[in-house]
Amino acid sequence: MKRLLILLLLALSSVAYAQLSFYNSDAYWSNFCLQTSCVEASVTDTCLVFVSNRHLHPDNLRFVDEYVDTTGLKYFFLRKRAGKWNVYQASSLKEAMLLLPEKRDIVVYTEGMGKIFTTNVERALLMRSQYHVNVVMFDYSSINTTYKPTRNFNFAKKNARLSAPDYFQLLKTLQKARLDKEDWVQDVKISTFYHSMGNIILMEMMQHQPYQDLNSQPFIDNLVINAACVPQKKHKEWVEHIQFASKVYIHYNRTDWQLKAAHILTFKAQLGEKVRRQRAANATYVNFHGQGERQHSYFLNFPQNDYRMTDAMKEYFGSLFTGNTAKLKDDKSPLLISN
């Protein structure tokens, strides 16, 4: 089994690197243009907001690089027209959010390993289009296109840990916007979604940042720990300190092959793979075994993937991302959710 999983990891890495070469090509990057001034979008435009801690190189085709810049966050408003993305740098999250053409519920989305800027745009776009939400992507460097898979595994983990202070500052900004009743957060729900290694950022923040500053009252509606590539053991200790979210969800799937491979590489059972005991009292645990099959990213339908979410899953994630109480319905597995 161990040998099979290692071979699978190598196969998955080969597919991922083939896709990455496409998204990192000069031809693909030519679809992105960093602009010098912001222009308001119309309601027909497709728009995203990015909060990034990558280094910025305004004069380059690849205007953001593959390294973490811990000196400060950068805010981008992205507008797509005729297949091209215009990228505008904003002075603050508020400025970027006020450029969005429509008020929708907000998902602050943090991805896992293997994403350059352009692949994060694709994922944010899929989430926006499939769930009709405004997406704020926390964009950090989770791969170096010159490294081999094993080195990138450690590179991504390190950068996720380095990004925790920046993510803490993003949450402080959201908290202040709620307290100040800023227009862009009025009458909308805000959810935070962490996928795979993105959960390292959350875990590291809860273990090493002054999270107590966030806990005065909930300002996040749903906090979602999805397919977490973090140790299952002792997760209760840091999850139970999350008091800034009204509801906490933890998704796991024991047939997730990528997390099985991470288990072998780290010698630790992963939280998104299985939950045996010592569950956090403030979290709802959702078991995707069966509906998620062997998938790792089972929350989106990808054009290049044959796997398709069930209607029950679409309904579940639709409720989740709009800040509502979510229940996964499956007559075959009536005990999918437990507290």
Side-chain angles (χ1 to χ4, degrees), residues 46 48 104 122-133 135 300-301:
T46 299
L48 305 168
R104 299 179 177 183
E122 185 211 31
R123 292 221 165 190
L125 177 61
L126 288 173
M127 181 174 284
R128 178 194 181 277
S129 61
Q130 291 180 25
Y131 296 107
H132 306 289
V133 292
V135 176
L300 291 171
N301 283 330

Side-chain angles (χ1 to χ4, degrees), residues 269-307:
Q270 301 298 291
L271 178 57
E273 173 193 10
K274 60 182 70 176
V275 182
R276 290 176 174 170
R277 52 186 176 274
Q278 295 296 309
R279 297 189 174 200
N282 62 326
T284 296
Y285 290 77
V286 186
N287 182 356
F288 278 92
H289 172 58
Q291 293 206 41
E293 299 179 5
R294 295 180 176 179
Q295 299 297 309
H296 184 54
S297 299
Y298 44 75
F299 56 96
L300 291 171
N301 283 330
F302 295 91
Q304 69 273 18
N305 195 338
D306 290 336
Y307 170 79

Side-chain angles (χ1 to χ4, degrees), residues 178-191:
R178 285 288 207 197
L179 289 173
D180 293 347
K181 298 182 179 180
E182 293 180 7
D183 179 68
W184 62 275
V185 294
Q186 292 299 297
D187 303 316
V188 299
K189 294 184 178 180
I190 303 176
S191 300

Side-chain angles (χ1 to χ4, degrees), residues 233-303:
K233 189 175 181 181
K234 296 185 178 180
H235 75 277
K236 176 180 186 289
E237 297 177 7
W238 59 268
V239 172
E240 288 189 344
H241 289 306
I242 299 171
Q243 301 300 320
F244 56 87
S246 298
K247 297 179 287 292
V248 176
Y249 294 84
I250 297 177
H251 299 164
Y252 65 102
N253 173 16
R254 65 179 172 85
T255 52
D256 183 330
W257 282 95
Q258 285 181 246
L259 290 182
K260 285 183 178 293
H263 183 167
I264 290 172
L265 287 172
T266 62
F267 303 101
K268 295 177 182 178
Q270 301 298 291
L271 178 57
E273 173 193 10
K274 60 182 70 176
V275 182
R276 290 176 174 170
R277 52 186 176 274
Q278 295 296 309
R279 297 189 174 200
N282 62 326
T284 296
Y285 290 77
V286 186
N287 182 356
F288 278 92
H289 172 58
Q291 293 206 41
E293 299 179 5
R294 295 180 176 179
Q295 299 297 309
H296 184 54
S297 299
Y298 44 75
F299 56 96
L300 291 171
N301 283 330
F302 295 91

Side-chain angles (χ1 to χ4, degrees), residues 69-238:
D69 176 9
T70 58
T71 61
L73 290 169
K74 300 159 191 73
Y75 306 95
F76 298 103
F77 171 73
L78 287 73
R79 182 181 67 178
K80 187 177 186 180
R81 278 187 177 177
K84 301 287 186 180
W85 285 100
N86 288 320
V87 182
Y88 306 89
Q89 188 171 7
S91 62
S92 65
L93 178 61
K94 178 181 179 180
E95 180 183 320
M97 295 301 292
L98 288 174
L99 290 168
L100 289 169
E102 292 181 83
K103 235 184 191 184
R104 299 179 177 183
D105 294 315
I106 298 167
V107 179
V108 183
Y109 178 8
T110 306
E111 255 294 341
M113 176 183 169
K115 310 303 182 298
I116 59 173
F117 182 86
T118 55
T119 48
N120 268 339
V121 170
E122 185 211 31
R123 292 221 165 190
L125 177 61
L126 288 173
M127 181 174 284
R128 178 194 181 277
S129 61
Q130 291 180 25
Y131 296 107
H132 306 289
V133 292
N134 279 331
V135 176
V136 177
M137 174 65 81
F138 182 74
D139 173 56
Y140 70 103
S141 176
S142 61
I143 194 168
N144 186 299
T145 52
T146 67
Y147 293 171
K148 293 183 178 180
T150 302
R151 187 178 180 186
N152 261 321
F153 185 79
N154 294 318
F155 176 81
K157 288 199 300 181
K158 178 183 177 182
N159 282 352
R161 289 193 294 269
L162 286 172
S163 297
D166 289 330
Y167 191 83
F168 176 72
Q169 292 305 316
L170 173 58
L171 287 185
K172 291 284 288 182
T173 299
L174 289 169
Q175 180 189 42
K176 187 175 186 302
R178 285 288 207 197
L179 289 173
D180 293 347
K181 298 182 179 180
E182 293 180 7
D183 179 68
W184 62 275
V185 294
Q186 292 299 297
D187 303 316
V188 299
K189 294 184 178 180
I190 303 176
S191 300
T192 56
F193 182 78
Y194 312 85
H195 177 59
S196 195
M197 278 193 188
N199 288 281
I200 295 175
I201 297 175
L202 176 64
M203 181 181 71
E204 186 77 8
M205 185 192 81
M206 296 306 299
Q207 292 176 339
H208 300 290
Q209 296 297 309
Y211 65 84
Q212 300 90 343
D213 295 350
L214 301 172
N215 280 343
S216 57
Q217 65 183 47
F219 60 94
I220 299 299
D221 293 284
N222 289 337
L223 183 147
V224 188
I225 296 170
N226 186 77
C229 191
V230 299
Q232 187 271 151
K233 189 175 181 181
K234 296 185 178 180
H235 75 277
K236 176 180 186 289
E237 297 177 7
W238 59 268

